[in-house]
Amino acid sequence: MELYHSPWEAYPFLSDAPEDLRCDFELLTDEIASRTGLLRSQVEDETLRAELLRVCELVYHANPTLRTRFTVTPEEIQWLADVCERLRGQSGGRCARFVLPQGCTTACTAHILRVQCKALVRLLYRHAHQGHPVEPALLDLANLLSGYFFLLALGLNAHAGQEEAEFVSRNY
């Protein structure tokens, strides 16, 4: 069966075979970068806005990785790890428990980004299970991004005076 290709196709790889996860990775990183921009538009603190812009750039640098090569530097990954440690230190113990993804609008946006970054990690593992190489530093970056957005959500809630709603699972 020959696939129809619209003359206005939005992205040249959208018709790739379903088992080829590269386009899915690119779309998900594009969505993560776009939601990071949305979160940036929701905050007023200029330091945080600059930080989110840098995070957005890192996501876009990672975007073509599965199709080309990984260009995020070890220094950039270390910067993100350091930011995560700073946020963890500022969390005042808020990250020691499982919390519901709620609170102020900015924290909720950060929680959505946290989950999308976990989905990115999962997609990378699926790609690796198919026998494709995945740069370990790319996995580090995706995991750090998930942690960053979680810790950022806690900080945004704290700044907004929102209490975390602890979740105690009936299953774990």
Side-chain angles (χ1 to χ4, degrees):
M1 172 181 117
E2 187 171 326
L3 291 176
Y4 169 77
H5 290 275
S6 171
W8 299 282
E9 199 156 89
Y11 188 57
F13 305 110
L14 293 174
S15 63
D16 286 356
E19 64 275 0
D20 186 344
L21 299 176
R22 295 176 299 175
C23 184
D24 300 83
F25 176 82
E26 292 157 357
L27 293 175
L28 186 52
T29 53
D30 192 10
E31 185 174 359
I32 291 167
S34 297
R35 284 191 193 262
T36 302
L38 174 64
L39 177 57
R40 185 176 184 268
S41 76
Q42 296 169 345
V43 300
E44 295 179 9
D45 180 85
E46 288 303 321
T47 302
L48 180 54
R49 288 175 55 80
E51 183 177 288
L52 287 167
L53 190 62
R54 188 166 179 190
V55 168
C56 188
E57 289 174 354
L58 289 178
V59 173
Y60 263 160
H61 284 308
N63 176 276
T65 295
L66 298 185
R67 203 174 295 280
T68 60
R69 68 190 193 290
F70 185 67
T71 60
V72 176
T73 67
E75 294 79 18
E76 289 169 323
I77 292 172
Q78 186 58 57
W79 171 80
L80 187 57
D82 292 344
V83 170
C84 286
E85 282 309 307
R86 184 195 81 227
L87 291 172
R88 188 179 318 282
Q90 293 172 350
S91 73
R94 287 173 162 249
C95 64
R97 53 196 170 131
F98 198 89
V99 298
L100 291 172
Q102 58 81 54
C104 64
T105 302
T106 54
C108 290
T109 302
H111 275 299
I112 291 168
L113 282 157
R114 167 190 58 81
V115 174
Q116 288 185 305
C117 292
K118 285 199 289 189
L120 190 66
V121 172
R122 178 65 182 145
L123 191 147
L124 286 169
Y125 279 123
R126 286 177 44 219
H127 189 67
H129 280 292
Q130 290 179 347
H132 304 288
V134 173
E135 184 73 35
L138 180 57
L139 283 163
D140 290 344
L141 176 65
N143 279 290
L144 276 168
L145 286 166
S146 181
Y148 169 78
F149 287 115
F150 172 71
L151 293 164
L152 184 59
L154 297 179
L156 291 166
N157 270 340
H159 180 72
Q162 294 280 324
E163 288 298 318
E164 297 300 335
E166 186 171 3
F167 176 74
V168 179
S169 175
R170 295 179 189 138
N171 297 309
Y172 293 106

